[in-house]
Amino acid sequence: METRLTIIIPVYKVSDTMDKCVDSIVRQKCDGMEIILVDDGSPDDCPKKCDRWAEQDCRIKVIHKENGGLSDARNAGLDIAQGRYITFADSDDYIGDDTYAELMDIMDENPEYDILEYPVCHIMKSTEHQIIGFDERTYRDPINYWMESQAYNHSYAWNKIYRRRMFDYVRFPVGRVFEDVATLPQLLEYTKCVATTKKGMYYYCDNVNGITARARGKEWRMFLDSHLNMIERCRKHPLFHQYYMQVVNIQLYEYELTGDKPRLKRIPIKRFCGLGCILKLKAIVINILGINALCKINKVIVKATGRR
């Protein structure tokens, strides 16, 4: 049988959660699945758990490697992936029932799709749930997808199905955190058609020990870098002001953590539609005083109030 879909799952220090993740995937009613567990040098019992899963299910392959980080683990999976399409799962998350079957039906019916994005349920430690949902839409221009769907707010690697050939040109950046927002814009350069769907569900679980939760100044520099690389590609889009103000918030937080000279260029905001009151106020300050002044004012306010 043809391998239709490869699911790549990096594994590192997730002994308490990986079984739930892998179980949610092996139970998917999707023909032609290949599951790659990448043991990224985990020092606990995760390597043995990976091997046990491979013994139980012939669709599972295991890679044992030295620790190289999330990007390196994903890249190792990509190196041996056989699927016509690729997706990812983090081993502290899980997948809704029948998700992959529904998504692959869509991909089979629409062979022009290079990327298909599906909904996310963000499960917080407070037991609250937040749904990131999508309309059924097709984007022939990847920049329209980035701007109109606000993909910059959900550039996750894991809630998307990708055509395999796209990774002939792109790999995840090793040694970086917030690697997804660095990778998706690169993939979009090789994308002719992106679609979003209401079907399926990826369950993203908060992890207080995760890389993102522990990110500090160095990591936020990387996050800002990725968006600075994307800003100029989007500048002529009618929704640019909304994206720009989101990047302003990233710049403010990076400045708060590091004190580095702001790197985001001052671009006067001429449109305010779609901006909340606080973002409008920040845009006015930028127009009058500039980015440097806004960073300094914001840092004083945060220090005085303890609120961002």
Side-chain angles (χ1 to χ4, degrees):
M1 177 182 293
E2 177 194 16
T3 303
R4 298 168 68 214
L5 178 65
T6 296
I7 304 102
I8 298 173
I9 311 170
V11 175
Y12 184 75
K13 288 186 177 181
V14 284
S15 183
D16 292 340
T17 61
M18 72 164 288
D19 285 337
K20 182 174 183 177
C21 173
V22 178
D23 181 66
S24 74
I25 292 173
V26 299
R27 289 190 292 105
Q28 296 289 314
K29 298 175 181 177
C30 178
D31 295 333
M33 284 199 316
E34 171 189 55
I35 303 164
I36 301 177
L37 301 178
V38 185
D39 162 34
D40 191 34
S42 189
D44 52 13
D45 64 344
C46 285
K48 292 181 179 178
K49 285 191 172 187
C50 289
D51 290 337
R52 283 200 295 268
W53 273 108
E55 291 171 0
Q56 295 172 27
D57 195 313
C58 64
R59 298 171 299 176
I60 296 177
K61 298 177 182 177
V62 178
I63 298 173
H64 295 291
K65 59 182 288 295
E66 293 183 0
N67 179 251
L70 180 59
S71 289
D72 195 50
R74 286 176 176 165
N75 291 340
L78 286 168
D79 287 342
I80 68 166
Q82 299 297 311
R84 186 156 39 100
Y85 295 95
I86 303 284
T87 193
F88 302 90
D90 284 355
S91 44
D92 42 10
D93 302 332
Y94 59 98
I95 311 299
D97 290 345
D98 299 327
T99 289
Y100 291 151
E102 292 181 329
L103 298 177
M104 289 307 297
D105 284 346
I106 295 173
M107 297 303 274
D108 289 342
E109 293 167 4
N110 299 275
E112 74 275 20
Y113 290 175
D114 291 315
I115 299 176
L116 176 64
E117 182 170 26
Y118 64 98
V120 176
C121 178
H122 182 184
I123 301 175
M124 306 174 194
K125 292 299 180 183
S126 62
T127 71
E128 295 179 359
H129 295 180
Q130 178 184 9
I131 301 293
I132 302 174
F134 302 98
D135 294 328
E136 302 283 347
R137 286 201 59 181
T138 300
Y139 300 88
R140 305 289 176 182
D141 181 343
I143 296 301
N144 283 342
Y145 160 71
W146 182 259
M147 301 296 278
E148 293 175 14
S149 77
Q150 297 186 350
Y152 47 84
N153 286 329
H154 43 86
S155 56
Y156 319 117
W158 28 252
N159 71 320
K160 299 170 182 68
I161 304 289
Y162 309 86
R163 190 180 299 279
R164 172 65 181 84
R165 63 167 175 76
M166 299 173 66
F167 288 101
D168 292 342
Y169 314 102
V170 176
R171 283 293 190 270
F172 291 92
V174 176
R176 294 188 64 163
V177 296
F178 298 112
E179 63 287 324
D180 294 352
V181 75
T183 305
L184 182 58
Q186 294 182 56
L187 290 169
L188 292 179
E189 292 184 20
Y190 300 98
T191 300
K192 295 181 179 179
C193 186
V194 184
T196 57
T197 181
K198 298 177 180 178
K199 294 182 178 180
M201 186 64 71
Y202 186 97
Y203 290 90
Y204 164 55
C205 304
D206 269 347
N207 182 353
V208 295
N209 296 313
I211 297 171
T212 301
R214 293 183 285 107
R216 301 305 298 160
K218 175 183 177 182
E219 291 78 17
W220 278 82
R221 287 189 189 103
M222 296 178 187
F223 192 30
L224 179 60
D225 285 342
S226 297
H227 285 289
L228 293 179
N229 291 335
M230 192 65 176
I231 280 284
E232 288 302 321
R233 291 173 61 186
C234 305
R235 189 162 177 175
K236 295 182 179 180
H237 196 279
L239 297 178
F240 173 76
H241 63 291
Q242 294 181 13
Y243 177 41
Y244 180 77
M245 291 310 299
Q246 291 294 322
V247 181
V248 165
N249 280 339
I250 298 169
Q251 174 66 87
L252 292 176
Y253 191 45
E254 189 233 32
Y255 180 85
E256 181 188 330
L257 292 174
T258 67
D260 292 348
K261 181 179 179 180
R263 292 177 292 136
L264 178 63
K265 294 180 181 178
R266 175 184 180 177
I267 299 177
I269 302 301
K270 299 179 181 179
R271 302 182 64 196
F272 293 87
C273 59
L275 300 180
C277 293
I278 293 177
L279 284 181
K280 286 180 181 177
L281 181 59
K282 291 176 180 178
I284 292 170
V285 173
I286 290 172
N287 287 347
I288 298 173
L289 301 176
I291 291 281
N292 289 9
L294 177 61
C295 286
K296 293 176 181 178
I297 293 168
N298 181 76
K299 191 169 184 177
V300 170
I301 292 172
V302 169
K303 187 174 181 180
T305 65
R307 300 172 64 183
R308 292 190 183 89

